Amino acid sequence: MGPPGFSPRGGGRGGERGGRGGFSPRGGGGRGGFSPGGRGRGAPRGRGGDRGRGRGGRGGMGAGKKVVVEPHRHAGVFIARGKEDALVTKNMAVGESVYGEKRIAVEDEAGKVEYRVWNPFRSKLAAAILGGVDKIHMPPGSKVLYLGAASGTTVSHVSDVVGPEGMVYAVEFSHRSGRDLLNVAKKRTNIVPIIEDARHPHKYRMLVPMVDCVFADVAQPDQARIVALNSQYFLKNGGHFVISIKANCIDSTAEAEAVFAGEVKKMQAEKMKPQEQVTLEPYERDHAVVVGIYRPPPKKVD
């Protein structure tokens, strides 16, 4: 039948790897090759085995064997080192995927621990971490106000990062996305879902205490004002903010860099002191994440 990868009907790329359910960007470990279903596209289900979970077992990334999980420099975030490295968080709701992401079970002294792969193409925060952001200010045990929670994709990972001692107050205006967010929150005790407009923080002031960090991904032209308003209500002095800026949403005619600089100026006018900015290339086009401190304590003069 010819050497692997050159079979007449085989799946070209991927020879005998078909259907192992690896962690390849294409889903099912190459395109099939010599899998029983043949037809050049993995097993009978089409894309490699049982949609990527086939004979790879529960783990996805090579079935949990030879996968070593190391702590990342951001507390609460981990790196799974296997055939391909991945950013992961420790799953709070064991056995549950939120958006179809892979799960990795690892044995350690305390028993079995499950991690969820954090996809930077689906999450701006993951993209910022892989882009080398210095601090995300969400250590385990902290309280985070998350504006623009959408369906709870990133929120679920933030919930993993802050852990059972922390809290995530997730604000989302859309009822459609809010439904998904509620379903995520049902399984995670540290998420408080708030279906409300982030432009009116007084409407949910009874639900949210003072927080350590505000994360915003609202993609609105007046985003800086929305974050400043919420910070006045809920962010402690010396607390931090992490804002994802989408240049097109602020001004689609200007250059992305000019938009980012303009947003940073607006923040400075609101007693928010930006400390770093990272672009989210290659995961998102014309996006940046700005991290800073709110009402920093005055410097002591000796």
Side-chain angles (χ1 to χ4, degrees):
M1 214 171 149
F6 293 97
S7 60
R9 328 192 24 174
R13 318 232 312 276
E16 282 139 323
R17 289 198 342 256
R20 245 200 37 230
F23 183 61
S24 75
R26 315 249 336 209
R31 288 240 310 271
F34 300 115
S35 58
R39 299 225 314 282
R41 288 296 296 246
R45 287 282 303 274
R47 308 268 308 239
D50 183 11
R51 299 272 322 274
R53 282 192 295 277
R55 281 152 291 171
R58 298 248 325 276
M61 289 180 53
K65 62 177 183 296
K66 298 202 298 276
V67 174
V68 180
V69 175
E70 302 171 355
H72 194 276
R73 63 191 172 83
H74 301 300
V77 183
F78 300 87
I79 304 167
R81 301 209 178 273
K83 196 175 69 175
E84 293 176 11
D85 294 357
L87 200 65
V88 295
T89 55
K90 191 182 284 184
N91 194 359
M92 255 192 65
V94 177
E96 296 282 344
S97 284
V98 173
Y99 53 100
E101 72 281 14
K102 298 234 165 51
R103 301 193 307 276
I104 303 168
V106 176
E107 297 277 352
D108 68 354
E109 311 84 61
K112 213 167 201 184
V113 184
E114 190 174 81
Y115 295 89
R116 295 188 307 129
V117 172
W118 196 356
N119 182 350
F121 292 96
R122 297 283 302 268
S123 168
K124 313 272 193 329
L125 187 55
I129 291 171
L130 290 177
V133 73
D134 191 36
K135 288 204 168 60
I136 54 170
H137 302 293
M138 298 173 191
S142 56
K143 293 191 177 76
V144 178
L145 174 62
Y146 192 117
L147 306 175
S151 306
T153 303
T154 305
V155 170
S156 69
H157 285 287
V158 174
S159 143
D160 288 346
V161 170
V162 300
E165 301 297 310
M167 286 301 273
V168 184
Y169 300 90
V171 181
E172 173 53 49
F173 190 35
S174 153
H175 285 248
R176 186 83 173 268
S177 302
R179 269 206 306 271
D180 299 336
L181 180 62
L182 286 171
N183 288 329
V184 172
K186 279 176 191 166
K187 302 192 179 88
R188 291 165 181 271
T189 49
N190 63 352
I191 298 178
V192 176
I194 301 167
I195 312 301
E196 193 51 81
D197 190 348
R199 286 192 177 85
H200 306 300
H202 62 92
K203 290 188 180 175
Y204 47 88
R205 69 184 188 282
M206 306 300 278
L207 298 172
V208 182
M210 294 304 279
V211 298
D212 306 298
C213 175
V214 171
F215 179 91
D217 181 15
V218 288
Q220 295 293 327
D222 57 342
Q223 180 169 6
R225 190 185 67 81
I226 293 172
V227 176
L229 202 54
N230 279 275
S231 299
Q232 283 166 21
Y233 271 88
F234 308 117
L235 188 55
K236 66 181 189 188
N237 287 0
H240 294 86
F241 58 86
V242 181
I243 305 179
S244 162
I245 302 171
K246 180 178 178 182
N248 284 354
C249 279
I250 315 285
D251 183 352
S252 54
T253 59
E255 283 290 317
E257 279 70 28
V259 172
F260 300 147
E263 289 301 290
V264 165
K265 281 221 167 57
K266 285 185 210 167
M267 289 174 208
Q268 286 162 335
E270 301 277 7
K271 296 202 182 70
M272 297 160 67
K273 183 184 173 194
Q275 292 170 317
E276 59 172 325
Q277 173 182 330
V278 250
T279 61
L280 300 190
E281 307 281 343
Y283 307 107
E284 302 275 359
R285 274 186 60 197
D286 294 343
H287 280 66
V289 161
V290 176
V291 180
I293 185 167
Y294 182 65
R295 290 188 176 163
K299 289 196 170 69
K300 291 185 174 63
V301 182
D302 296 330

